[in-house]
Amino acid sequence: MNRSIVSKYLYIFSFVLVIFVDFLSRTMFIEGFPFLRDVSKGLIIAASAMLLVKLLIDKHSKIELYTILILIPILSVIIFTTKTYYTLLPIFLLVISVRNINLEKILKIWLFEIIILMLFVSVSYYMGIIGETIHVTGREGDKIRYGLGYGYASFSANYFFHFTLFYSFIRREKLKVLEIIALFVTNYYLYLKTDTKSAFACSVLLLFLVLLIKYLKLSKQNNFLNKYTMLFGFIISLGTLFLYRFGTEVGELLNTLVTGRLRLADKAWDEFGITIFGQKILWVTENQWMSEIEYDYVDSSFLNILFNYGIILILLIIVGYYLLGRKKLSNNIFYTLMIVILGIHCIYDPQLLEISHNPSILFLGYLITGSDIIYNLKR
């Protein structure tokens, strides 16, 4: 077996392990079987070791090597400062070791793994192998939000929204009406069970636009949106936060519409502030809600990354997606659709840097390798 094949298998095995651990951490398996926490750490260590081996055996251009050598100390400081050895480190390694990896195959592996894991959690939940989260919550009218085997009520809906997003991105114009109906029905079922409005709204908007593109036979990408969507998402997140901080009526209204997210971001601003390389933050999540500890979590991806990981990382992500928008891989209307829907969702939801939700973060690795065409978008 030659070096190139070994390199690809190391990446695929590592990717599968990282997705599995990240997904598992959001389910009730962790609560029901505590030993899985140690197993998960072992799997992340194994995945990281394989990625380091891949980096060493790959042949790199000088520019690529210099870029990696510049990024390693910067991101190492962020990882050390935030103590995210088991979360951010494997994502960083997956991004910088993407050389010679077929992105389309990786996305297909992600789709297959996520749907299998979701089915496994669903079967385990309905068979009673794992239980309901201990904090089943209610919203307007005391509507119950079920966890469905996940640690928080919104997780299942958000996973399937991202599945819908990247399934549409891969299938593109080949997506059939029956597939669209099946995706809509599943998203609607999860909405009824979990009352996760943002994921359902983004899924409906996505599927409507897919139908529009399909039947109007649109094919031209929007280069402006390809480049600036993530920047706009960051500006909107920060701008609406300032509207709330300054006590404007618009800010108060927006805070109500987004179920208190701006109030929590405002609290985080005062409590943690903004740093260059990030800081270790112990967010108070749903598992501790309704206890003596007050819920404290920033849902906006852009603001969460800004508070938790600092100015450097959020700038690297925004600039990275801007540069991707200038490459040939974005020369397709389905890339525009994917990046716009993802950007909208990330304004008030936290999945941008969560690899088991958003595999497009790996696209950034191709800026390091200098690749311009990742796979054939024009079929």
Side-chain angles (χ1 to χ4, degrees):
M1 189 177 294
N2 63 41
R3 178 184 297 185
S4 176
I5 294 175
V6 171
S7 172
K8 290 176 183 178
Y9 277 120
L10 285 172
Y11 192 91
I12 290 170
F13 290 152
S14 301
F15 178 75
V16 169
L17 286 178
V18 171
I19 297 300
F20 173 75
V21 170
D22 196 51
F23 185 96
L24 187 71
S25 71
R26 305 175 201 282
T27 71
M28 292 303 292
F29 277 105
I30 292 294
E31 299 297 325
F33 306 94
F35 72 91
L36 289 175
R37 296 181 191 276
D38 292 329
V39 172
S40 295
K41 289 181 179 180
L43 293 177
I44 288 296
I45 292 170
S48 299
M50 285 190 285
L51 290 170
L52 286 172
V53 171
K54 182 188 184 302
L55 269 177
L56 292 174
I57 66 175
D58 281 345
K59 293 181 178 179
H60 305 281
S61 66
K62 286 186 178 180
I63 295 177
E64 182 183 351
L65 191 59
Y66 292 151
T67 304
I68 291 173
L69 290 175
I70 291 171
L71 286 174
I72 284 176
I74 294 173
L75 292 174
S76 295
V77 171
I78 295 173
I79 292 166
F80 177 78
T81 303
T82 58
K83 302 296 186 291
T84 50
Y85 309 110
Y86 296 101
T87 51
L88 191 58
L89 176 60
I91 296 173
F92 168 49
L93 291 174
L94 283 168
V95 170
I96 67 171
S97 58
V98 78
R99 166 165 286 280
N100 298 323
I101 300 301
N102 185 310
L103 179 60
E104 185 173 17
K105 288 182 180 179
I106 290 299
L107 288 178
K108 287 179 178 178
I109 290 170
W110 180 88
L111 289 168
F112 179 77
E113 185 174 7
I114 289 299
I115 202 64
I116 291 298
L117 289 172
M118 288 195 74
L119 287 171
F120 179 68
V121 169
S122 180
V123 170
S124 300
Y125 173 74
Y126 286 108
M127 289 182 64
I129 297 173
I130 54 176
E132 185 61 72
T133 177
I134 59 174
H135 299 297
V136 177
T137 61
R139 278 184 178 168
E140 306 100 0
D142 294 325
K143 182 175 181 179
I144 299 298
R145 305 182 69 200
Y146 293 100
L148 303 179
Y150 296 83
Y152 183 52
S154 67
F155 286 174
S156 58
N158 273 307
Y159 268 119
F160 200 77
F161 155 67
H162 285 90
F163 177 87
T164 303
L165 180 65
F166 290 104
Y167 184 81
S168 302
F169 178 64
I170 284 291
R171 291 284 289 157
R172 299 187 283 281
E173 64 276 354
K174 293 184 178 182
L175 197 64
K176 306 297 184 185
V177 174
L178 284 178
E179 293 173 272
I180 294 173
I181 292 173
L183 291 170
F184 171 78
V185 169
T186 307
N187 276 288
Y188 183 59
Y189 170 78
L190 291 171
Y191 166 68
L192 291 178
K193 287 289 186 180
T194 68
D195 195 31
T196 308
K197 294 180 175 65
S198 58
F200 180 62
C202 287
S203 296
V204 171
L205 177 60
L206 167 68
L207 294 174
F208 171 74
L209 292 174
V210 167
L211 282 172
L212 207 61
I213 291 168
K214 184 177 178 67
Y215 286 100
L216 295 181
K217 297 185 178 181
L218 304 175
S219 60
K220 180 66 176 176
Q221 76 280 0
N222 187 305
N223 293 323
F224 182 80
L225 291 176
N226 287 352
K227 291 185 288 187
Y228 294 108
T229 290
M230 288 301 174
L231 175 61
F232 288 152
F234 177 66
I235 291 172
I236 292 170
S237 298
L238 203 57
T240 53
L241 170 57
F242 281 128
L243 285 174
Y244 180 80
R245 282 182 67 81
F246 294 151
T248 67
E249 291 184 9
V250 174
E252 292 288 349
L253 176 61
L254 286 171
N255 182 59
T256 301
L257 291 175
V258 297
T259 60
R261 284 172 165 85
L262 294 180
R263 178 184 64 80
L264 292 170
D266 179 60
K267 179 182 176 183
W269 184 288
D270 292 332
E271 186 176 354
F272 305 115
I274 297 173
T275 61
I276 296 176
F277 293 105
Q279 57 195 306
K280 183 180 180 181
I281 297 178
L282 297 176
W283 298 111
V284 181
T285 62
E286 179 71 4
N287 289 334
Q288 294 163 293
W289 197 35
M290 296 176 68
S291 70
E292 295 179 357
I293 303 175
E294 184 182 357
Y295 179 86
D296 184 18
Y297 187 78
V298 174
D299 287 282
S300 166
S301 289
F302 302 105
L303 297 179
N304 190 298
I305 294 169
L306 180 63
F307 292 138
N308 206 157
Y309 300 108
I311 296 172
I312 297 295
L313 188 59
I314 191 65
L315 286 178
L316 285 173
I317 292 171
I318 291 171
V319 172
Y321 275 106
Y322 166 79
L323 293 174
L324 283 172
R326 301 181 60 181
K327 284 185 169 287
K328 290 181 181 179
L329 74 96
S330 66
N331 290 351
N332 185 281
I333 194 170
F334 284 94
Y335 180 90
T336 301
L337 180 60
M338 181 274 291
I339 203 69
V340 168
I341 298 296
L342 181 65
I344 291 172
H345 188 257
C346 286
I347 292 173
Y348 293 116
D349 280 277
Q351 289 85 27
L352 179 59
L353 202 55
E354 296 174 1
I355 187 69
S356 63
H357 282 99
N358 176 31
S360 81
I361 201 73
L362 300 181
F363 290 18
L364 302 178
Y366 292 101
L367 298 173
I368 299 172
T369 65
S371 300
D372 201 26
I373 301 176
I374 309 311
Y375 57 88
N376 185 13
L377 285 166
K378 296 179 179 180
R379 293 181 175 182

